[in-house]
Amino acid sequence: VQLQASGGGLVQTGDSLRLSCVASGPFLSSWSVGWVRQGPGKERELVANIRWGAGNTYYPDSVKGRFTISRDKGKKSVFLQMDSLKPEDTAVYYCAAGTGLGDYIVWGQGTQVTVSS
């Protein structure tokens, strides 16, 4: 399976963006798909995860209430709706998939999100 992420861009504080991640093949229902970001000079941070089969979601406190992850099984796609964006959300965002929360073995290329103040 290969992942293709898109949707990044330059926005202002308070704006919204929707990232998309399309898979080249099917995910196992037990798999998890997540979005991981890495800001300048920062460590990688998991910002959202969804269980492909059950649809259970996870968010860290830093984005809870602002970010929403969803999936479209028919389109083999995962989306990250990001609202009320802040400058500290500036990062390269990667979609990734694997057997559990944060346990990712397949990574897509990153998409840059820049939030200006």
Side-chain angles (χ1 to χ4, degrees):
V1 173
Q2 293 181 325
L3 304 176
Q4 179 76 34
S6 62
L10 172 63
V11 297
Q12 296 184 334
T13 298
D15 285 351
S16 298
L17 270 179
R18 187 181 191 231
L19 305 184
S20 299
C21 177
V22 181
S24 62
F27 293 119
L28 296 175
S29 61
S30 60
W31 271 38
S32 289
V33 184
W35 289 93
V36 178
R37 70 184 180 187
Q38 187 162 22
K42 299 181 180 179
E43 295 184 354
R44 280 186 175 180
E45 178 189 14
L46 173 63
V47 296
N49 184 85
I50 188 165
R51 288 288 300 271
W52 186 252
N56 308 71
T57 58
Y58 161 82
Y59 308 95
D61 289 343
S62 58
V63 306
K64 195 173 293 184
R66 300 189 299 120
F67 289 13
T68 304
I69 190 170
S70 61
R71 69 191 185 324
D72 184 325
K73 289 185 175 181
K75 295 182 179 179
K76 295 177 289 186
S77 296
V78 174
F79 308 99
L80 184 67
Q81 177 67 39
M82 305 185 294
D83 299 320
S84 302
L85 283 163
K86 306 175 182 180
E88 51 263 44
D89 295 318
T90 294
V92 178
Y93 285 71
Y94 301 88
C95 62
T99 56
L101 176 65
D103 189 16
Y104 305 129
I105 58 175
V106 180
W107 290 78
Q109 93 291 359
T111 185
Q112 176 71 47
V113 172
T114 303
V115 185
S116 64
S117 58

